[in-house]
Amino acid sequence: MEEGKYHYEAQVTSRTGAPAGYDDVDVFGHEEYAQIKYKTLSWQLVAVLMIAEIVSNGMLSLPSSLAVVGIVPGVILIIFLGMFGLFTAWILIQFKLNHPEVHNMGDAGYILMGPFGRELLSFGTVVFAVFATGGQLLAGQIALGALSDNKLCLMLYTGIFAIPTLLFSLPRTLDRMSWLSIPSVLSILIAGLVGMGAAGAFPVAGRTISAAKGSDFYTAFVSITNPVFAYAG
């Protein structure tokens, strides 16, 4: 057995659903009789939270990618990125099962590359969170500007959208925050259905559907980043 790695049998404990011996080295340990429990997020709410965090970020931008590169390359790209995202998720699950002591990406970086890896992945996590939040604030700014015909300063729109974002992020546990993801998921589903219905009822005049389209590098690269961002996380 390699140092720092833990391999468990398929036996599962009846209380937590984790592999036998997992809680002995898990960062939060045994919580059956603990007064404060940290591992309270169910897998159902994890799914809702991930849909709200990841899918809603880029779902409405996927049609723009198909319009730039064409139907066939766009569909191939979306399927490939989806399979790649599924594979990386499986890798992360196996890594966590083999290293229950890992709590965040910094801990994983320490196992992979030592202190340098810990600082690198910790920095990357913070940068990703900042830019993801900035992307959401930008989307809110555009939405408020479109609804009000840009009658106010765009920075003011950003501030208006930032206030409820700050208030809704005050719950410091994912279990409580995941309940806020339910209306978010419903909103993105309704927006997607309304968008498809409106596009079918009021098609753009002269619009043609192409199996594949040529484009310059910059435009194609930007359009490809849309499905990448949709699967990011």
Side-chain angles (χ1 to χ4, degrees):
M1 179 183 297
E2 299 180 14
E3 184 179 357
K5 292 186 177 181
Y6 302 87
H7 300 278
Y8 300 100
E9 299 176 356
Q11 181 183 358
V12 176
T13 60
S14 59
R15 289 181 177 272
T16 64
Y22 182 92
D23 292 330
D24 295 333
V25 287
D26 178 59
V27 64
F28 295 112
H30 295 272
E31 293 188 334
E32 291 88 347
Y33 307 104
Q35 185 176 3
I36 299 177
K37 294 180 173 60
Y38 295 93
K39 296 180 289 186
T40 58
L41 187 62
S42 64
W43 70 265
Q44 294 91 344
L45 289 179
V46 169
V48 175
L49 182 64
M50 297 303 288
I51 292 174
E53 178 189 2
I54 299 174
V55 178
S56 62
N57 286 341
M59 189 183 79
L60 296 180
S61 64
L62 295 182
S64 63
S65 301
L66 299 179
V68 173
V69 299
I71 298 295
V72 175
V75 171
I76 293 175
L77 179 65
I78 292 173
I79 295 176
F80 169 77
L81 290 174
M83 296 177 62
F84 186 76
L86 183 62
F87 175 72
T88 54
W90 180 81
I91 293 292
L92 290 175
I93 292 173
Q94 297 303 313
F95 187 88
K96 175 59 177 175
L97 290 177
N98 290 331
H99 300 277
E101 74 280 8
V102 170
H103 175 53
N104 49 48
M105 294 302 295
D107 294 341
Y110 183 80
I111 293 177
L112 296 173
M113 297 176 287
F116 171 77
R118 177 182 59 196
E119 300 301 327
L120 178 63
L121 293 191
S122 297
F123 175 75
T125 302
V126 173
V127 170
F128 174 79
V130 170
F131 278 90
T133 304
Q136 295 297 323
L137 293 179
L138 178 61
Q141 176 201 82
I142 296 173
L144 293 178
L147 292 175
S148 62
D149 198 20
N150 292 320
K151 294 181 179 180
L152 298 177
C153 175
L154 293 181
M155 293 305 299
L156 183 58
Y157 289 132
T158 305
I160 294 174
F161 196 77
I163 293 175
T165 301
L166 175 63
L167 294 177
F168 285 132
S169 65
L170 290 179
R172 304 312 303 165
T173 61
L174 291 177
D175 177 55
R176 294 181 179 180
M177 189 173 293
S178 61
W179 290 100
L180 298 175
S181 301
I182 296 178
S184 175
V185 172
L186 293 177
S187 298
I188 194 62
L189 290 177
I190 293 174
L193 293 176
V194 171
M196 289 187 293
F202 305 99
V204 177
R207 172 62 62 88
T208 59
I209 300 177
S210 302
K213 297 179 63 176
S215 178
D216 60 275
F217 175 79
Y218 174 79
T219 304
F221 181 81
V222 172
S223 67
I224 290 175
T225 58
N226 289 329
V228 171
F229 188 67
Y231 287 110

